[in-house]
Amino acid sequence: MMTVAIRTILLAVLFFVSACSLTPPKPLRISANLWIGYTPLFYIKERGWLEGKNIELVNVVSLYENMQMYAVGNADAFTGTQYEYHVQRQTHPTLTPVLLLDRSRGGDIVMANRDLPTLRKSDHPIDVWLEIDSVSQELFRAFIRAKNLEGKTYRFHNLDPESISKLPLQKSPAILVTYEPYDDPLRERGYREVATTADPALDFQIIDALYTDDEDLRHFHKELATLNRLIARALHDLRKDPKTYYHYVQHYLHGEDYPHFLESLATIEWIYAKRDKRFLESLQNMGLPTDHLMVPVKDAF
């Protein structure tokens, strides 16, 4: 006969095992900031395709905030440019790109309240608004180097792009570094575009991708494979019916209407499935490893 004590212990063990089996697995938590090249992720979320897939998407305002979500452990993967990748790799040495998203072809923008000749002639300090700990500072450096604006006195103001988009037109010389869709309100106030990543003189590329480390790549292999297929499906939908796609993502575009949305799309190149040798070599030259890039899905619909 089983004693009461033994029976109690066995029941407790069975209860514990049952409780553990009912605990849902930890979801793959992805952090992404608002940027035209990340809209496939927002589209997937709004379509409800993440439900039951053990994947959570969190959207934030800026590249820096996005990077910090990963840095403090609030995200298992994050979207970003090569700049954010290199910063985080210093503390996460196995960090790697797993999904390519886009290449900026004019979507990252330098704006000013003066034209370039006037800025070159100015003897006054030039106020610069940008997100300092992000790829925007590298774009600014490429800009002043290419446009013969080195040697000027600059006063830097660290703001996220949403806050920059609310700046009134300044009276003194000012330069703003921003990106789609935050440029539209600035244009309406009188700021002008003085350079973009479409300008070959800048000799500067910005690559956007999804990053995670080796541990999470193994742990969330199934979820990442699912996400890979869903990204391919979202891009297929965008090519097939951009207006319906816009309907699902417009909430993330700060009031950008459909014609402006199409204009924004023209400022990036989708590189999800780009795998030619020359392109992969260019990634490696930028310090972006390619050995863990997931194979593009061709039959996702």
Side-chain angles (χ1 to χ4, degrees):
M1 292 291 293
M2 184 180 299
T3 67
V4 174
I6 294 175
R7 183 181 298 171
T8 302
I9 293 171
L10 287 175
L11 287 172
V13 171
L14 287 171
F15 177 80
F16 176 78
V17 171
S18 299
C20 289
S21 65
L22 293 174
T23 303
K26 176 180 177 291
L28 169 64
R29 191 170 169 86
I30 299 169
S31 176
N33 59 290
L34 303 185
W35 158 246
I36 186 68
Y38 302 155
T39 55
L41 290 165
F42 306 134
Y43 177 79
I44 290 167
K45 180 179 180 179
E46 294 303 315
R47 288 300 301 264
W49 294 348
L50 295 181
E51 294 177 10
K53 301 295 192 300
N54 199 43
I55 302 171
E56 290 182 3
L57 178 64
V58 180
N59 61 283
V60 296
V61 170
S62 68
L63 283 164
Y64 177 76
E65 185 181 0
N66 194 31
M67 180 174 63
Q68 286 302 110
M69 286 284 288
Y70 181 78
V72 300
N74 288 334
D76 307 296
F78 71 101
T79 56
T81 73
Q82 69 270 18
Y83 175 88
E84 290 76 36
Y85 163 76
H86 287 302
V87 169
Q88 284 304 302
R89 197 168 185 271
Q90 295 175 25
T91 52
H92 298 80
T94 66
L95 191 68
T96 186
V98 290
L99 284 171
L100 297 176
L101 292 167
D102 70 276
R103 173 163 52 182
S104 180
R105 294 295 200 185
D108 292 86
I109 306 157
V110 182
M111 308 184 80
N113 61 352
R114 307 281 195 277
D115 59 24
L116 285 173
T118 304
L119 287 173
R120 290 191 188 104
K121 293 176 184 176
S122 177
D123 293 327
H124 298 286
I126 301 173
D127 289 295
V128 181
W129 279 269
L130 77 168
E131 190 175 16
I132 288 179
D133 196 7
S134 77
V135 75
S136 292
Q137 68 175 350
E138 294 192 340
L139 175 57
F140 174 75
R141 292 192 192 108
F143 164 72
I144 63 171
R145 184 171 58 248
K147 303 303 179 181
N148 194 27
L149 286 165
E150 293 179 298
K152 297 289 182 182
T153 300
Y154 295 105
R155 294 186 300 213
F156 292 95
H157 307 270
N158 184 23
L159 283 181
D160 64 73
E162 183 173 10
S163 299
I164 291 173
S165 73
K166 299 174 182 176
L167 285 173
L169 188 63
Q170 303 295 304
K171 294 181 179 180
S172 58
I175 294 173
L176 288 64
V177 186
T178 187
Y179 52 83
E180 295 279 358
Y182 297 106
D183 58 316
D184 290 338
L186 296 169
R187 295 179 195 277
E188 292 171 2
R189 292 194 199 97
Y191 287 100
R192 65 190 74 186
E193 178 183 298
V194 290
T196 77
T197 42
D199 186 347
L202 266 61
D203 190 26
F204 185 69
Q205 283 196 81
I206 298 180
I207 298 293
D208 289 288
L210 180 73
Y211 307 96
T212 192
D213 60 25
D214 282 355
E215 181 180 352
D216 285 323
L217 185 59
R218 290 190 299 270
H219 184 75
F220 293 110
H221 177 76
K222 180 180 177 182
E223 288 81 1
L224 287 167
T226 298
L227 184 68
N228 185 24
R229 178 169 291 275
L230 292 176
I231 290 288
R233 185 177 176 186
L235 290 172
H236 168 266
D237 287 2
L238 174 59
R239 289 189 294 268
K240 183 180 178 182
D241 188 354
K243 196 159 192 176
T244 298
Y245 181 97
Y246 166 78
H247 169 75
Y248 282 101
V249 302
Q250 62 180 318
H251 170 70
Y252 299 93
L253 300 175
H254 285 266
E256 190 173 68
D257 60 21
Y258 182 61
H260 279 94
F261 170 67
L262 295 180
E263 291 175 6
S264 295
L265 286 176
T267 66
I268 63 170
E269 173 193 1
W270 295 111
I271 57 173
Y272 164 76
K274 194 173 180 67
R275 293 294 188 276
D276 61 90
K277 183 179 178 181
R278 183 177 179 181
F279 175 67
L280 292 179
E281 287 177 349
S282 73
L283 293 183
Q284 291 163 1
N285 290 337
M286 296 168 68
L288 291 171
T290 60
D291 47 335
H292 289 299
L293 289 177
M294 304 191 78
V295 177
V297 177
K298 297 180 180 180
D299 60 344
F301 45 89

